[in-house]
Amino acid sequence: MDAEMVEAHHAALRTFASQEDIAAILVEGVPRAFCAGGDIKSIREYALQQPYKDDPPIDHPVARVFQTEYNQVCDVARCPIPYMSICTGVWMGFGVGNSAHGDVRVVTQDTLFAMPENSIGLFPDVGFAHIAAQLPGAIGLYLGLTGRRLSAPEDLLYSRLGTHQARAEQLPSLRDALVHAPLSRHADKRKTLYQLEVVLQKFQEPVLGASELAALQPLIDSCFEPALHHRARGRTAPQALDDIALDLLTIAQTNDRPAARQYAIDTLEALQKLCPISMAVTLRHFAAVYQDVHTGPGPLSEIEGVMKQEYALAVRMCGRGDFAEGVRAAVVDKDRNPKWDPANLSDIREEDLDAIFAPMPPDRELQLDFLDR
């Protein structure tokens, strides 16, 4: 995905949302170009061809991609008409940003969700920290840090990532029903959402199985929730990540339930493969957003503030060697053996994190130009 492709979708959303005579719905059957995040190979090439140490100008190709993507995230979150996404197939990266901030998210038995950016030296962006803060307990941080994949509809619904479930083979009929439904536009879009709900219920699949994520919730919360308050506890992000690993190790060694031990072992193995600086950035960012959302008001309690912060994080992380190395190992050479720098959490300096999180100069920060509210 390049900036032109995102801009085309961005313009389409504005056109739909500004027309007064259309049915008050935008159905987004997330295109392949958006499903698995941006074209990280292209972003890597932009950063290698035009390297930067200081914050790049907004016309730098790396900056341009994130400027466009993050404006799109705000457009979705603030869309004045109901925004509906059909999230089937691979649902990752910008596919999440392009849909999860909307009103309705239909998942199917073929949906595969993940935010795996910590495995490529980036961090889970597109406002996922804001979504994560509103998921049950510490599930949002758990999914963001580990990149765990969710494919069971009962897990997607339990986590609140999905709002409705339909069979994949029923999607053409669902689209037809939505197109021909007698929808009308209201100043209060909740009234139109009620009309949509009538249509959606005709295709809603019952939840047949128990959610594995629900069963793991107490364990997830016990390991990850304290990290959301790490600064108040006098811990740095790397120290809090060590605390998570220690709690997981204790469960793996002492818990008498096989499912609990397997959860701990799998999670430890996942964390050990990820970029250390990415995990530290993720935890610090998600914890700050969580605090503002739950105790606010603060700049990160609203999506606009989150995206401004994430823009600074994204362009700075893409300018680091870890991003180029992570993408190389994942999708260029595909050796799955990245060499991270620093290689260990203990080698991360607090001043390096402070620099990544520092405010950007006004002429280089995210320029928001989203839908008129």
Side-chain angles (χ1 to χ4, degrees):
M1 179 197 64
D2 57 21
E4 286 82 1
M5 189 178 296
V6 182
E7 285 167 356
H9 189 268
H10 185 58
L13 172 57
R14 287 167 173 267
T15 300
F16 271 101
S18 63
Q19 290 175 354
E20 294 297 330
D21 57 347
I22 64 167
I25 178 175
L26 175 61
V27 180
E28 173 54 46
V30 183
R32 289 186 179 274
F34 299 126
C35 286
D39 186 345
I40 54 176
K41 288 194 290 186
S42 294
I43 298 175
R44 176 179 183 266
E45 286 301 314
Y46 296 152
L48 291 175
Q49 292 169 4
Q50 300 183 44
Y52 52 90
K53 290 185 179 180
D54 298 325
D55 295 329
I58 59 175
D59 60 352
H60 189 286
V62 171
R64 187 177 163 213
V65 168
F66 289 112
Q67 287 272 350
T68 308
E69 280 192 10
Y70 291 179
N71 268 274
Q72 170 80 353
V73 167
C74 292
D75 276 359
V76 172
R78 301 300 189 191
C79 190
I81 60 174
Y83 187 101
M84 175 178 172
S85 302
I86 296 175
C87 309
T88 190
V90 177
W91 188 27
M92 300 182 186
F94 187 47
V96 174
N98 198 38
S99 53
H101 298 277
D103 303 292
V104 177
R105 300 171 298 279
V106 180
V107 298
T108 75
Q109 75 276 17
D110 295 335
T111 304
L112 176 61
F113 166 88
M115 290 296 288
E117 287 79 4
N118 282 336
S119 65
I120 58 167
L122 194 54
F123 73 99
D125 64 331
V126 295
F128 185 65
H130 199 257
I131 295 166
Q134 301 170 69
L135 302 187
I139 281 179
L141 177 61
Y142 165 67
L143 295 175
L145 270 178
T146 65
R148 173 173 170 171
R149 297 184 172 197
L150 297 182
S151 58
E154 52 267 27
D155 287 339
L156 292 163
L157 294 172
Y158 173 77
S159 67
R160 303 177 196 157
L161 290 165
T163 60
H164 297 75
Q165 177 190 357
R167 296 291 300 176
E169 57 269 25
Q170 288 293 309
L171 293 182
S173 297
L174 172 58
R175 290 191 182 97
D176 287 344
L178 290 166
V179 168
H180 294 102
L183 302 176
S184 57
R185 185 166 186 162
H186 299 274
D188 183 353
K189 72 175 179 178
R190 288 175 297 182
K191 294 182 178 179
T192 307
L193 282 169
Y194 177 78
Q195 294 175 318
L196 284 175
E197 188 66 27
V198 173
V199 178
L200 288 165
Q201 284 302 318
K202 297 177 182 178
F203 295 86
Q204 176 78 358
E205 281 290 305
V207 178
L208 300 177
S211 167
E212 179 188 359
L213 205 57
L216 291 175
Q217 176 92 59
L219 289 171
I220 292 171
D221 288 352
S222 69
C223 294
F224 288 84
E225 194 160 22
L228 289 169
H229 312 280
H230 69 274
R231 304 198 84 169
R233 298 169 57 240
R235 304 290 281 169
T236 65
Q239 289 169 341
L241 288 164
D242 281 338
D243 294 341
I244 291 173
L246 181 59
D247 288 343
L248 290 167
L249 185 60
T250 301
I251 293 171
Q253 292 176 340
T254 65
N255 198 287
D256 58 1
R257 291 193 299 130
R261 292 198 302 271
Q262 193 61 53
Y263 147 78
I265 291 169
D266 291 346
T267 306
L268 275 171
E269 289 180 351
L271 292 174
Q272 288 169 355
K273 298 175 182 177
L274 303 176
C275 175
I277 194 76
S278 292
M279 289 193 292
V281 167
T282 296
L283 176 53
R284 183 161 165 174
H285 178 52
F286 276 48
V289 174
Y290 184 92
Q291 296 304 316
D292 274 11
V293 167
H294 288 274
T295 65
L300 301 178
S301 62
E302 301 291 341
I303 191 63
E304 294 84 2
V306 174
M307 298 323 302
K308 284 194 171 186
Q309 177 67 87
E310 290 195 358
Y311 178 74
L313 301 180
V315 296
R316 288 166 179 165
M317 294 294 281
C318 286
R320 292 178 52 87
D322 277 337
F323 176 72
E325 172 64 4
V327 176
R328 179 206 64 77
V331 297
V332 179
D333 298 335
K334 300 182 181 180
D335 58 26
R336 304 290 176 181
N337 187 30
K339 306 299 182 184
W340 305 122
D341 181 22
N344 302 298
L345 288 170
S346 58
D347 295 327
I348 296 175
R349 300 182 304 171
E350 195 68 4
E351 54 263 36
D352 291 337
L353 288 176
D354 291 341
I356 294 172
F357 279 85
M360 298 191 83
D363 64 330
R364 301 201 172 199
E365 66 181 6
L366 177 64
Q367 307 298 311
L368 289 174
D369 179 27
F370 46 87
L371 292 170
D372 181 10
R373 286 176 279 163

